[in-house]
Amino acid sequence: MPDASSAAVELRDVVKRFGDVVAVDHVSLRIAPGEFFALLGPSGSGKTTTLRMIGGFELPTEGEVLIEGEPQGYKPPYQRPVNTVFQNYALFPHMTVAQNIAFGLEMRGVPKEEIRRRVSEMLDLVRLSGYERRRPHQLSGGEQQRVALARALINRPKVLLLDEPLGALDLKLRKAMQLELKAIQEQVGITFIYVTHDQEEAITMANRIAVMNKGKVLQVGTPQEVYEQPQTFFVADFIGDTNFLPVQVMQVTAPVEVMTESGTRLTASWAEPTLRTGVKAVMAVRPERMHLYRPGSGPEGPEWNRVEGIIRQVIYKGLDIRYEVFVAGECSLHVRMPVGRSEGTFQRGEHVIVAWPRAAARVFRSES
Amino acid sequence: MSATPTTSTPSAGQHRLRHVLGQWLFHLYGFAGYAFFYLPILILVIFSFNDSRSVSKWAGFTLRWYEAMLQDRQIMLALWNSVFVAVVSTAIATVLGTLAAMALERYRRFPGRLIADITLYLPIIIPDIAMAIMLLAFFNLSGIGLHIWKVHFFGVRLAVPISVIIGHVAFNISFVAVVVQARLAQMDRTLEEAAQDLYASPWRTFWRVTLPLMMPGVLGGALLAFTLSLDDFVITFFTSGAGFNTLPVRVFGMIRKGVTPKINAVSSLMLGFSLLLVTLALLAARGREERKVGFF
């Protein structure tokens, strides 16, 4: 199987049903060796169930899970070449840190001397040397997290599965652990499959992201692709902040043209393939791609969209200033402008032009 | 607060008086409760040292009733029988009860789950006498009878009252299962998944993770079963064949011929034994709890 062996993990048309509920709905994925792959979605999107099927804790109702080209079939977790970092760490409370980390090697009958050596290597890697004899309840959340990581990595699995491993940590520690995890992954070169509902976390850490909702994978791509070229309304809405303008489709072939409810014509770089001329849709634009200008100035031409509005709210955020602009008869737009631009800052109540390039605009079927 | 002083508000002095009175009554109530429970026991113990056959008049300190008890072969044999039945039935009931608890906790949904629950709890709530009569009928109908098996065990001749042991196991399974189930219910299932994820087969997962974690429940259940077995009169009385006495049954036989301080001595001995077991159980539980602090 020359082709299959190139993927660390492959899901082929996997379905998981719990009674009448379809938790995972025809998911196919290929994850390359050494990749940091994120499964991103809201709770109930099927991301954890997908991970559990790779680990062997759930068996697919339909379809197949392959690890390094080998179909896993009904193999139980203890026969799969993967290890898991659980959401609540699941450290054994009746064992010391060293015993916890050694558990996997011990189960596989690795000689005692080698176990001792590798445990101390692992403790070095996660910077917990000297903690051998402590018990899990004597550790902080971040330390428990690192023990859980060491306990999984010591087995040198082909793939490491991580189920919201940072979910229980406070924000500051989480940011630090994100960078640490990423560094460790690059150091050991093991494929990571990382489940999270935090889009910022996924974008920070992953090489590729699969966005899931209602059991389906909606889009797979690099963080940049997923952020800049969302394929569905859900992805555009779930990842980052987005302005949605209600519009009517005028032309679906490039250049895409739409019309706002008050009759302003706008142009976009892409429209969802299922859209037809005349139907209602939404135009999505990121707040940082929109610019404010004083009336009578700013870029013009076929590549640019312009609407008039009134500043309703000004919020200073340090790095940038966020404006809420009311567009008559339409909606409110959120605009993010870096501090220190030549136009200076705008005041509440000021009339402005909101402009954004065609390349920054995408048109989706509206979902409610 | 917008409360203004009015004539209807009690003064500070009245408040204080009420408070003190309330405290005092509360303490009195607690003390009365303790006295109600423990005064009879205290009297029983005191009169086991009474140098007279009377159980109401104090005539000086003696240990002669304890001496008489130790020299009474019937009592010593009954004590041995009690301990033997308790040890054997507790061992069997602990294994079976733990397995039952695991099955019920693991497989929460199956047809007949309610019936399984009811049948498990039944021996706890049904009167001893009903259970005793049912067991007696069962032994007669099944042909097991009320025999005493004579067994040679490493050169020691043992009298094994098979019907009594089965009877004790029958009610003790329920108590063990209930205690173990309570422990299992608060155990984190992902710990077992973690063990399996780390290459432990279900068998090794049980020995290395599940059993150590549910051990406080298993020990607690076993201790409870042991105490109940040691203490049981009704079921033992109905299911033991002729000539087989446990300590409670023997005491009952003695009491029919009149209460003597020897019975007090036997009772004090059993009391002391129970006290020891309860203390051990509490100490074990406390040790576990201290270790758990900060974990959840």
Side-chain angles (χ1 to χ4, degrees):
Chain A
M1 38 191 136
D3 186 47
S5 61
S6 62
V9 171
E10 190 181 351
L11 303 186
R12 285 187 188 157
D13 209 21
V14 168
V15 178
K16 179 67 187 180
R17 288 192 202 93
F18 295 105
D20 294 337
V21 182
V22 183
V24 174
D25 194 357
H26 296 280
V27 164
S28 294
L29 286 172
R30 285 174 66 87
I31 298 158
E35 231 184 333
F36 197 127
F37 191 90
L39 289 170
L40 173 66
S43 62
S45 60
K47 57 192 193 303
T48 295
T49 307
T50 303
L51 193 79
R52 289 173 62 82
M53 284 192 285
I54 300 170
F57 301 110
E58 309 283 356
L59 293 172
T61 316
E62 288 170 31
E64 216 173 9
V65 175
L66 293 88
I67 298 172
E68 298 223 309
E70 204 177 305
Q72 297 300 300
Y74 294 105
K75 268 193 199 168
Y78 54 91
Q79 285 172 359
R80 296 192 182 204
V82 298
N83 289 107
T84 307
V85 175
F86 292 89
Q87 187 169 15
N88 60 355
Y89 319 133
L91 299 178
F92 305 126
H94 58 300
M95 297 183 197
T96 63
V97 167
Q99 286 168 338
N100 264 283
I101 296 175
F103 192 85
L105 295 184
E106 203 190 312
M107 288 300 120
R108 288 200 296 185
V110 173
K112 279 222 162 79
E113 204 39 56
E114 193 188 335
I115 293 181
R116 204 166 307 147
R117 190 174 50 76
R118 279 167 70 176
V119 166
S120 87
E121 267 175 33
M122 270 302 140
L123 284 166
D124 273 351
L125 180 74
V126 298
R127 297 187 287 108
L128 282 176
S129 299
Y131 280 62
E132 287 84 350
R133 290 167 164 275
R134 303 237 191 143
R135 285 187 184 262
H137 67 84
Q138 295 170 308
L139 307 179
S140 71
E143 288 164 351
Q144 289 186 30
Q145 162 67 65
R146 301 217 291 270
V147 174
L149 187 65
R151 185 178 70 172
L153 282 177
I154 196 170
N155 306 293
R156 297 175 186 155
K158 307 238 162 98
V159 179
L160 187 70
L161 309 174
L162 302 102
D163 185 7
E164 306 234 10
L166 307 181
L169 304 180
D170 61 64
L171 189 66
K172 208 168 173 184
L173 193 54
R174 206 148 114 196
K175 298 268 181 211
M177 281 302 297
Q178 283 175 9
L179 299 176
E180 198 173 321
L181 263 179
K182 179 97 181 124
I184 287 174
Q185 193 264 340
E186 279 161 15
Q187 197 179 333
V188 296
I190 291 173
T191 312
F192 275 32
I193 303 179
Y194 191 102
V195 161
T196 181
H197 66 271
D198 182 340
Q199 43 100 11
E200 236 181 286
E201 195 167 281
I203 286 173
T204 308
M205 301 171 79
N207 304 122
R208 280 201 306 153
I209 298 170
V211 184
M212 292 188 72
N213 188 38
K214 294 178 182 165
K216 288 194 166 79
V217 170
L218 300 177
Q219 188 171 352
V220 182
T222 64
Q224 198 177 350
E225 283 166 356
V226 170
Y227 187 84
E228 291 180 3
Q229 294 152 35
Q231 303 288 315
T232 62
F233 177 87
F234 180 85
V235 175
D237 190 31
F238 189 70
I239 295 177
D241 299 323
T242 309
N243 288 300
F244 291 107
L245 289 89
V247 293
Q248 192 176 10
V249 178
M250 305 304 288
Q251 183 180 323
V252 286
T253 50
V256 177
E257 275 181 40
V258 298
M259 191 167 69
T260 66
E261 277 162 18
S262 63
T264 312
R265 283 189 169 253
L266 300 172
T267 171
S269 63
W270 180 89
E272 219 175 324
T274 54
L275 285 173
R276 297 282 168 266
T277 303
V279 300
K280 288 195 182 302
V282 286
M283 174 181 273
V285 188
R286 300 284 184 195
E288 68 272 17
R289 302 295 298 272
M290 289 183 160
H291 306 275
L292 296 185
Y293 297 95
R294 302 230 141 72
S297 66
E300 286 183 52
E303 298 287 314
W304 286 86
N305 294 306
R306 291 165 68 98
V307 294
E308 287 173 27
I310 299 170
I311 306 252
R312 188 193 258 173
Q313 188 74 261
V314 183
I315 300 163
Y316 177 77
K317 292 288 262 185
L319 270 178
D320 54 23
I321 299 176
R322 292 172 192 194
Y323 297 97
E324 189 187 346
V325 182
F326 182 68
V327 181
E330 306 282 350
C331 57
S332 281
L333 296 177
H334 293 265
V335 181
R336 214 176 278 172
M337 304 259 285
V339 170
R341 281 192 45 187
S342 56
E343 292 88 348
T345 57
F346 297 86
Q347 306 300 318
R348 191 206 289 233
E350 228 181 307
H351 284 262
V352 289
I353 301 290
V354 185
W356 62 94
R358 173 198 287 164
R362 298 170 75 80
V363 179
F364 299 104
R365 283 196 308 164
S366 49
E367 288 171 30
S368 47
Chain B
M1 293 298 242
S2 60
T4 49
T6 61
T7 45
S8 65
T9 313
S11 71
Q14 274 173 308
H15 263 307
R16 210 184 122 66
L17 185 70
R18 252 195 222 180
H19 181 72
V20 170
L21 200 69
Q23 284 279 312
W24 195 77
L25 278 171
F26 191 69
H27 285 180
L28 188 75
Y29 174 72
F31 187 76
Y34 261 91
F36 181 75
F37 281 128
Y38 290 107
L39 221 51
I41 294 175
L42 192 66
I43 288 166
L44 177 128
V45 174
I46 287 171
F47 276 92
S48 72
F49 297 107
N50 192 11
D51 196 4
S52 152
R53 283 196 72 84
S54 164
V55 285
S56 54
K57 245 161 90 189
W58 181 251
F61 181 84
T62 183
L63 285 174
R64 72 174 153 113
W65 301 114
Y66 284 88
E67 244 180 86
M69 171 185 82
L70 291 172
Q71 278 160 11
D72 186 329
R73 295 205 45 160
Q74 295 264 39
I75 290 178
M76 286 298 109
L77 184 66
L79 177 65
W80 161 253
N81 284 338
S82 275
V83 172
F84 180 73
V85 168
V87 167
V88 174
S89 68
T90 297
I92 299 170
T94 302
V95 173
L96 295 181
T98 302
L99 293 177
M102 284 185 70
L104 287 174
E105 191 57 32
R106 259 332 104 81
Y107 307 104
R108 286 165 180 283
R109 264 175 243 155
F110 60 89
R113 163 79 212 231
L114 186 66
I115 292 168
D117 268 347
I118 290 172
T119 47
L120 193 66
Y121 280 93
L122 208 56
I124 296 177
I125 48 173
I126 108 181
D128 274 1
I129 184 70
M131 180 121 179
I133 290 167
M134 287 188 290
L135 281 165
L136 186 62
F138 164 71
F139 291 131
N140 284 332
L141 290 172
S142 64
I144 294 173
L146 305 179
H147 300 295
I148 312 286
W149 290 0
K150 305 285 186 209
V151 177
H152 289 267
F153 189 73
F154 291 111
V156 183
R157 282 183 57 213
L158 284 177
V160 182
I162 190 66
S163 52
V164 177
I165 288 173
I166 292 175
H168 282 212
V169 169
F171 69 78
N172 271 338
I173 286 178
S174 306
F175 287 96
V176 174
V178 167
V179 175
V180 174
Q181 216 182 340
R183 174 76 194 175
L184 278 174
Q186 37 167 296
M187 232 174 82
D188 183 1
R189 282 297 305 276
T190 47
L191 291 173
E192 289 174 332
E193 288 189 343
Q196 297 219 4
D197 185 64
L198 297 162
Y199 315 110
S201 61
W203 181 246
R204 298 181 86 176
T205 300
F206 174 78
W207 287 107
R208 292 295 304 272
V209 175
T210 316
L211 187 63
L213 290 175
M214 68 178 182
M215 211 52 193
V218 175
L219 283 181
L223 225 46
L224 183 63
F226 191 80
T227 315
L228 290 170
S229 177
L230 215 55
D231 191 45
D232 177 72
F233 170 76
V234 177
I235 288 165
T236 313
F237 186 76
F238 275 74
T239 56
S240 57
F244 185 84
N245 285 332
T246 59
L247 203 53
V249 176
R250 179 73 201 137
V251 168
F252 177 73
M254 285 163 71
I255 234 162
R256 283 197 298 190
K257 293 171 201 149
V259 180
T260 70
K262 194 154 86 174
I263 290 173
N264 285 20
V266 174
S267 306
S268 300
L269 183 80
M270 289 171 76
L271 178 71
F273 208 64
S274 307
L275 220 55
L276 188 73
L277 285 180
V278 170
T279 312
L280 282 178
L282 286 179
L283 282 178
R286 181 174 293 179
R288 291 275 165 182
E289 253 160 47
E290 264 164 22
R291 245 193 271 170
K292 246 167 57 181
V293 165
F295 179 64
F296 289 111

PDB file of all heavy atoms in Angstrom, chain A residues 137-154:
ATOM      1  N   HIS A 137      -1.859  14.945  43.179  1.00  0.00           N
ATOM      2  CA  HIS A 137      -2.612  16.000  43.861  1.00  0.00           C
ATOM      3  C   HIS A 137      -1.702  17.057  44.476  1.00  0.00           C
ATOM      4  O   HIS A 137      -2.172  18.095  44.925  1.00  0.00           O
ATOM      5  CB  HIS A 137      -3.545  15.402  44.914  1.00  0.00           C
ATOM      6  CG  HIS A 137      -2.828  14.765  46.067  1.00  0.00           C
ATOM      7  ND1 HIS A 137      -2.378  15.498  47.138  1.00  0.00           N
ATOM      8  CD2 HIS A 137      -2.471  13.486  46.300  1.00  0.00           C
ATOM      9  CE1 HIS A 137      -1.785  14.684  47.988  1.00  0.00           C
ATOM     10  NE2 HIS A 137      -1.816  13.460  47.508  1.00  0.00           N
ATOM     11  N   GLN A 138      -0.383  16.786  44.504  1.00  0.00           N
ATOM     12  CA  GLN A 138       0.542  17.792  45.035  1.00  0.00           C
ATOM     13  C   GLN A 138       1.030  18.738  43.942  1.00  0.00           C
ATOM     14  O   GLN A 138       1.863  19.594  44.204  1.00  0.00           O
ATOM     15  CB  GLN A 138       1.748  17.093  45.680  1.00  0.00           C
ATOM     16  CG  GLN A 138       1.384  16.272  46.903  1.00  0.00           C
ATOM     17  CD  GLN A 138       2.536  15.403  47.360  1.00  0.00           C
ATOM     18  OE1 GLN A 138       3.111  14.653  46.582  1.00  0.00           O
ATOM     19  NE2 GLN A 138       2.880  15.500  48.634  1.00  0.00           N
ATOM     20  N   LEU A 139       0.556  18.542  42.718  1.00  0.00           N
ATOM     21  CA  LEU A 139       1.031  19.354  41.599  1.00  0.00           C
ATOM     22  C   LEU A 139      -0.003  20.394  41.202  1.00  0.00           C
ATOM     23  O   LEU A 139      -1.202  20.205  41.395  1.00  0.00           O
ATOM     24  CB  LEU A 139       1.310  18.459  40.388  1.00  0.00           C
ATOM     25  CG  LEU A 139       2.235  17.263  40.585  1.00  0.00           C
ATOM     26  CD1 LEU A 139       2.364  16.503  39.280  1.00  0.00           C
ATOM     27  CD2 LEU A 139       3.601  17.701  41.074  1.00  0.00           C
ATOM     28  N   SER A 140       0.475  21.482  40.609  1.00  0.00           N
ATOM     29  CA  SER A 140      -0.435  22.484  40.065  1.00  0.00           C
ATOM     30  C   SER A 140      -1.017  21.964  38.757  1.00  0.00           C
ATOM     31  O   SER A 140      -0.543  20.965  38.212  1.00  0.00           O
ATOM     32  CB  SER A 140       0.331  23.779  39.806  1.00  0.00           C
ATOM     33  OG  SER A 140       1.201  23.593  38.705  1.00  0.00           O
ATOM     34  N   GLY A 141      -2.025  22.654  38.256  1.00  0.00           N
ATOM     35  CA  GLY A 141      -2.658  22.237  37.009  1.00  0.00           C
ATOM     36  C   GLY A 141      -1.674  22.126  35.854  1.00  0.00           C
ATOM     37  O   GLY A 141      -1.670  21.165  35.098  1.00  0.00           O
ATOM     38  N   GLY A 142      -0.788  23.121  35.743  1.00  0.00           N
ATOM     39  CA  GLY A 142       0.185  23.116  34.656  1.00  0.00           C
ATOM     40  C   GLY A 142       1.163  21.958  34.782  1.00  0.00           C
ATOM     41  O   GLY A 142       1.559  21.344  33.794  1.00  0.00           O
ATOM     42  N   GLU A 143       1.547  21.654  36.030  1.00  0.00           N
ATOM     43  CA  GLU A 143       2.470  20.544  36.256  1.00  0.00           C
ATOM     44  C   GLU A 143       1.809  19.207  35.945  1.00  0.00           C
ATOM     45  O   GLU A 143       2.415  18.323  35.333  1.00  0.00           O
ATOM     46  CB  GLU A 143       2.975  20.576  37.712  1.00  0.00           C
ATOM     47  CG  GLU A 143       3.954  21.708  37.981  1.00  0.00           C
ATOM     48  CD  GLU A 143       4.153  21.990  39.467  1.00  0.00           C
ATOM     49  OE1 GLU A 143       3.410  21.432  40.297  1.00  0.00           O
ATOM     50  OE2 GLU A 143       5.041  22.781  39.794  1.00  0.00           O
ATOM     51  N   GLN A 144       0.542  19.075  36.354  1.00  0.00           N
ATOM     52  CA  GLN A 144      -0.192  17.836  36.049  1.00  0.00           C
ATOM     53  C   GLN A 144      -0.275  17.634  34.533  1.00  0.00           C
ATOM     54  O   GLN A 144      -0.115  16.533  34.020  1.00  0.00           O
ATOM     55  CB  GLN A 144      -1.614  17.901  36.628  1.00  0.00           C
ATOM     56  CG  GLN A 144      -1.641  17.810  38.126  1.00  0.00           C
ATOM     57  CD  GLN A 144      -3.059  17.741  38.661  1.00  0.00           C
ATOM     58  OE1 GLN A 144      -3.958  17.242  38.010  1.00  0.00           O
ATOM     59  NE2 GLN A 144      -3.256  18.246  39.860  1.00  0.00           N
ATOM     60  N   GLN A 145      -0.524  18.744  33.844  1.00  0.00           N
ATOM     61  CA  GLN A 145      -0.597  18.733  32.393  1.00  0.00           C
ATOM     62  C   GLN A 145       0.705  18.205  31.786  1.00  0.00           C
ATOM     63  O   GLN A 145       0.696  17.389  30.871  1.00  0.00           O
ATOM     64  CB  GLN A 145      -0.878  20.174  31.957  1.00  0.00           C
ATOM     65  CG  GLN A 145      -0.582  20.476  30.548  1.00  0.00           C
ATOM     66  CD  GLN A 145      -1.512  19.731  29.671  1.00  0.00           C
ATOM     67  OE1 GLN A 145      -2.679  19.963  29.683  1.00  0.00           O
ATOM     68  NE2 GLN A 145      -1.001  18.789  28.914  1.00  0.00           N
ATOM     69  N   ARG A 146       1.827  18.650  32.328  1.00  0.00           N
ATOM     70  CA  ARG A 146       3.113  18.232  31.775  1.00  0.00           C
ATOM     71  C   ARG A 146       3.403  16.772  32.104  1.00  0.00           C
ATOM     72  O   ARG A 146       4.010  16.059  31.306  1.00  0.00           O
ATOM     73  CB  ARG A 146       4.229  19.151  32.312  1.00  0.00           C
ATOM     74  CG  ARG A 146       3.978  20.617  31.947  1.00  0.00           C
ATOM     75  CD  ARG A 146       5.236  21.369  31.622  1.00  0.00           C
ATOM     76  NE  ARG A 146       6.094  21.580  32.769  1.00  0.00           N
ATOM     77  CZ  ARG A 146       6.021  22.642  33.564  1.00  0.00           C
ATOM     78  NH1 ARG A 146       5.126  23.573  33.327  1.00  0.00           N
ATOM     79  NH2 ARG A 146       6.836  22.771  34.576  1.00  0.00           N
ATOM     80  N   VAL A 147       2.959  16.303  33.272  1.00  0.00           N
ATOM     81  CA  VAL A 147       3.121  14.882  33.601  1.00  0.00           C
ATOM     82  C   VAL A 147       2.306  14.034  32.616  1.00  0.00           C
ATOM     83  O   VAL A 147       2.789  13.021  32.098  1.00  0.00           O
ATOM     84  CB  VAL A 147       2.685  14.577  35.055  1.00  0.00           C
ATOM     85  CG1 VAL A 147       2.723  13.079  35.317  1.00  0.00           C
ATOM     86  CG2 VAL A 147       3.577  15.300  36.048  1.00  0.00           C
ATOM     87  N   ALA A 148       1.082  14.478  32.339  1.00  0.00           N
ATOM     88  CA  ALA A 148       0.229  13.737  31.406  1.00  0.00           C
ATOM     89  C   ALA A 148       0.899  13.654  30.034  1.00  0.00           C
ATOM     90  O   ALA A 148       0.863  12.615  29.365  1.00  0.00           O
ATOM     91  CB  ALA A 148      -1.142  14.409  31.296  1.00  0.00           C
ATOM     92  N   LEU A 149       1.527  14.754  29.632  1.00  0.00           N
ATOM     93  CA  LEU A 149       2.215  14.787  28.346  1.00  0.00           C
ATOM     94  C   LEU A 149       3.400  13.821  28.349  1.00  0.00           C
ATOM     95  O   LEU A 149       3.592  13.037  27.416  1.00  0.00           O
ATOM     96  CB  LEU A 149       2.683  16.224  28.074  1.00  0.00           C
ATOM     97  CG  LEU A 149       3.274  16.512  26.710  1.00  0.00           C
ATOM     98  CD1 LEU A 149       2.207  16.337  25.647  1.00  0.00           C
ATOM     99  CD2 LEU A 149       3.844  17.925  26.658  1.00  0.00           C
ATOM    100  N   ALA A 150       4.184  13.855  29.440  1.00  0.00           N
ATOM    101  CA  ALA A 150       5.352  12.975  29.548  1.00  0.00           C
ATOM    102  C   ALA A 150       4.923  11.511  29.559  1.00  0.00           C
ATOM    103  O   ALA A 150       5.546  10.660  28.927  1.00  0.00           O
ATOM    104  CB  ALA A 150       6.136  13.300  30.822  1.00  0.00           C
ATOM    105  N   ARG A 151       3.829  11.224  30.257  1.00  0.00           N
ATOM    106  CA  ARG A 151       3.343   9.844  30.372  1.00  0.00           C
ATOM    107  C   ARG A 151       2.965   9.284  29.001  1.00  0.00           C
ATOM    108  O   ARG A 151       3.107   8.093  28.742  1.00  0.00           O
ATOM    109  CB  ARG A 151       2.132   9.817  31.316  1.00  0.00           C
ATOM    110  CG  ARG A 151       1.620   8.429  31.598  1.00  0.00           C
ATOM    111  CD  ARG A 151       0.476   8.452  32.567  1.00  0.00           C
ATOM    112  NE  ARG A 151      -0.723   9.017  31.979  1.00  0.00           N
ATOM    113  CZ  ARG A 151      -1.908   9.014  32.566  1.00  0.00           C
ATOM    114  NH1 ARG A 151      -2.050   8.502  33.767  1.00  0.00           N
ATOM    115  NH2 ARG A 151      -2.964   9.530  31.973  1.00  0.00           N
ATOM    116  N   ALA A 152       2.472  10.166  28.130  1.00  0.00           N
ATOM    117  CA  ALA A 152       2.096   9.721  26.785  1.00  0.00           C
ATOM    118  C   ALA A 152       3.317   9.663  25.860  1.00  0.00           C
ATOM    119  O   ALA A 152       3.522   8.689  25.146  1.00  0.00           O
ATOM    120  CB  ALA A 152       1.038  10.657  26.209  1.00  0.00           C
ATOM    121  N   LEU A 153       4.166  10.705  25.917  1.00  0.00           N
ATOM    122  CA  LEU A 153       5.285  10.804  24.970  1.00  0.00           C
ATOM    123  C   LEU A 153       6.363   9.758  25.203  1.00  0.00           C
ATOM    124  O   LEU A 153       7.077   9.383  24.281  1.00  0.00           O
ATOM    125  CB  LEU A 153       5.915  12.204  25.046  1.00  0.00           C
ATOM    126  CG  LEU A 153       5.176  13.319  24.328  1.00  0.00           C
ATOM    127  CD1 LEU A 153       5.890  14.642  24.554  1.00  0.00           C
ATOM    128  CD2 LEU A 153       5.070  13.022  22.835  1.00  0.00           C
ATOM    129  N   ILE A 154       6.503   9.274  26.447  1.00  0.00           N
ATOM    130  CA  ILE A 154       7.574   8.335  26.774  1.00  0.00           C
ATOM    131  C   ILE A 154       7.446   7.058  25.946  1.00  0.00           C
ATOM    132  O   ILE A 154       8.427   6.372  25.667  1.00  0.00           O
ATOM    133  CB  ILE A 154       7.587   8.012  28.287  1.00  0.00           C
ATOM    134  CG1 ILE A 154       8.921   7.368  28.667  1.00  0.00           C
ATOM    135  CG2 ILE A 154       6.420   7.121  28.665  1.00  0.00           C
ATOM    136  CD1 ILE A 154       9.135   7.237  30.156  1.00  0.00           C
TER     137      ILE A 154
END
